[in-house]
């Protein structure tokens, strides 16, 4: 039997995502009510520019006083899609204090202060849901914290930023340079006017922190995530990758150590074999590969950004939170019981692809091989090309720690026969 009194929703932000949330709430009102067991009503929309015309939204609902909106005693759920740290953090906390549950898409805030927000939600007996914060429309957080709750997740490997994937895919498929591919992404609306958060890996790092925390039942903050951007990736790197049967992706990688005593979280460009499922992810799409003890290998794929896809995830959370509200219950909160330490990047073990500019003369290869051996880094393959007294030397290692590889490269730079280190890239997915 459906309850007639509506559940009231406050919407913070009415941009690309917020406007889609409001549209879907209106156009799918009957379906949402049937799925929840009660009508949902948009009770207020907080914006910065109230004079802007917002199609389908009653101007009487629009306000610039977000604080007053979340403090209204009749609000059941606050949907936060304004992003950033403040005022979002203060508004979410106030919502809990005044009796509302929260649905958020704010990856930066959750990566930085997720533990405090979860604690506030628990203190006041309210829900905090954030499916839209990591991979747009892709159902990922709920499978990790609910569907796989009885399993042990060992690794999460994914493409979680559509802008960077579009750029790298364009470089791979057309041979374009980084700037040319970025310009096209900007012209098509995939990249912001200032793409720093995307191309330098900040966006993906925030998502990696959230994923690692859920997957490993451990608090992982943004500062715990190693981050390396993709602005130095070149067309030459893609040619080298193709010679190895690989492509290049900006990956978020969260791993449990082999002994299970620690975890790592990192974001960086990496070569992955063309046979790996992530290699075929094209354009601005996202995909996340999950490896667990019992379920084995799972892959989640779909649009990772955009108004409608992200709103889809927000509305899914809204339905779940509203159902909980009607039942007088709350859904899963933070699970950080494992409290595993987060290991530094120096302890991460993987393969490496190193391209060196060297003198084209006898003995160079022997010198380089000796340096690798002295630092305990085993060489898998070597390829050398020379012309007019100069040569390029490409070395692919077996698995080695980041610290040992760093020591190797530092020593290589001191060799008179090494003119420079053209590129260093990790090889993942094998």
């Amino acid at each position: 039997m459906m309850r007639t009194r509506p559940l009231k929703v406050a919407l913070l932000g009415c941009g690309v995502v917020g406007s889609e949330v409001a549209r879907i709430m209106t156009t799918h009102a009957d379906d949402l009510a049937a799925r929840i067991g009660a009508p949902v009503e948009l009770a207020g929309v907080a914006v910065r520019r109230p004079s802007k015309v917002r199609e389908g939204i009653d101007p009487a609902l629009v306000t610039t006083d977000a604080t007053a909106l979340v403090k209204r005693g009749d609000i059941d759920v606050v949907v936060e899609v304004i992003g950033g740290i403040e005022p979002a953090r203060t508004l979410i906390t106030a919502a809990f204090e005044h009796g509302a549950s929260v649905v958020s898409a704010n990856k930066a805030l959750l990566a930085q202060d997720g533990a405090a927000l979860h604690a506030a939600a628990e203190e006041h007996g309210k829900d905090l849901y954030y499916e839209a914060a990591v991979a747009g429309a892709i159902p990922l957080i709920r499978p990790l914290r609910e569907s796989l709750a009885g399993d042990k997740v060992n690794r999460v490997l994914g493409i979680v930023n559509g802008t960077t994937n579009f750029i790298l895919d364009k470089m791979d498929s057309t041979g374009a340079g980084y700037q040319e591919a970025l310009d096209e992404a900007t012209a098509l609306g995939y990249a912001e006017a200032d793409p720093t958060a995307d191309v330098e890996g900040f966006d993906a790092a925030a998502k990696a922190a959230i994923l690692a925390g859920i997957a490993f039942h451990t608090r992982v903050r943004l500062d715990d995530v190693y981050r390396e951007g993709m602005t130095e990736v070149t067309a030459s790197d893609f040619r080298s990758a193709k010679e190895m049967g690989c492509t290049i992706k900006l990956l978020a990688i969260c791993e449990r150590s082999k002994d299970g005593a620690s975890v790592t979280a990192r974001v960086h460009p990496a070569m992955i074999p063309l046979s790996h499922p992530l290699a075929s992810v094209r354009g601005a799409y996202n995909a996340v590969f999950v490896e667990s003890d019992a379920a084995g290998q799972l892959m989640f794929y779909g649009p990772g950004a955009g108004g409608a896809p992200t709103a889809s995830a927000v509305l899914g959370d809204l339905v779940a939170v509203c159902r909980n509200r009607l039942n007088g219950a709350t859904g899963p909160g933070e699970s950080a019981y494992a409290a595993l330490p987060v290991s530094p990047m120096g302890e991460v073990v993987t393969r490496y692809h190193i391209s060196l500019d060297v003198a084209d003369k006898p003995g160079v290869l022997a010198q380089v091989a000796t340096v690798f051996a002295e630092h305990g880094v085993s060489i898998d393959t070597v390829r050398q090309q020379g012309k007019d007294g100069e040569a390029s030397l490409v070395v692919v290692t077996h698995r080695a720690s980041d610290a040992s590889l760093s020591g190797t490269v530092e020593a290589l730079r001191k060799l008179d026969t090494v003119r420079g280190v053209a590129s260093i890239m990790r090889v993942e997915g094998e």
Side-chain angles (χ1 to χ4, degrees), residues 208-413:
I210 295 169
L211 289 173
I214 296 170
F216 307 132
H217 304 278
T218 291
R219 287 179 178 168
V220 180
R221 289 171 50 89
L222 181 59
D223 292 344
D224 296 322
V225 182
Y226 172 83
R227 178 194 55 78
E228 186 180 315
M230 49 158 281
T231 57
E232 301 301 318
V233 176
T234 66
S236 177
D237 291 327
F238 273 100
R239 287 193 292 271
S240 294
K242 287 181 178 180
E243 289 173 358
M244 290 178 58
C246 293
T247 188
I248 299 172
K249 300 291 186 182
L250 184 75
L251 298 178
I253 305 170
C254 312
E255 290 181 305
R256 190 188 299 268
S257 63
K258 285 189 175 181
D259 63 6
S262 65
V263 299
T264 59
R266 51 197 166 102
V267 168
H268 53 72
M271 294 182 179
I272 59 173
L274 295 175
S275 58
H276 194 281
L278 292 179
S280 61
V281 178
R282 301 296 184 186
Y285 274 70
N286 285 190
V288 178
F289 202 71
V290 177
E291 300 174 11
S292 68
D293 276 0
Q297 297 179 332
L298 306 169
M299 183 166 163
F300 301 83
Y301 170 84
T310 305
S312 171
V314 170
L315 267 295
D317 279 349
L318 179 63
V319 169
V321 169
C322 286
R323 285 172 175 168
N324 291 342
R325 189 88 171 184
L326 287 179
N327 294 327
T330 55
E334 182 187 34
S335 175
Y337 73 90
L340 297 172
V342 182
S343 297
M345 186 62 186
E347 296 179 13
V348 170
V349 175
T350 188
R351 296 180 67 203
Y352 289 87
H353 176 281
I354 304 103
S355 180
L356 305 172
D357 295 326
V358 300
D360 187 13
K361 61 182 183 181
V364 173
L365 181 56
Q367 285 184 320
V368 169
T370 297
V371 170
F372 276 88
E374 289 174 347
H375 288 81
V377 179
S378 176
I379 294 175
D380 182 17
T381 62
V382 178
R383 186 175 70 255
Q384 184 173 1
Q385 294 177 325
K387 184 179 180 182
D388 298 330
E390 298 295 329
S392 64
L393 192 66
V394 176
V395 179
V396 179
T397 74
H398 287 290
R399 292 176 66 82
S401 72
D402 188 82
S404 62
L405 196 283
S406 296
T408 302
V409 171
E410 185 177 347
L412 288 170
R413 295 183 193 276

Side-chain angles (χ1 to χ4, degrees), residues 35 41 44 68 76 84 89 106 135 167 171 176 192 196 216 218 248 252-253 256 264 343 372 400 425:
R35 294 166 191 172
E41 174 187 308
D76 294 289
R89 174 171 50 197
N106 195 331
I167 293 170
M171 293 175 71
E192 301 286 347
T196 302
F216 307 132
T218 291
I248 299 172
I253 305 170
R256 190 188 299 268
T264 59
S343 297
F372 276 88
M425 192 164 295

Side-chain angles (χ1 to χ4, degrees), residues 59-71:
L61 298 178
V62 176
T63 178
T64 57
D65 194 344
T67 301
L69 179 59
V70 301
K71 289 183 177 181

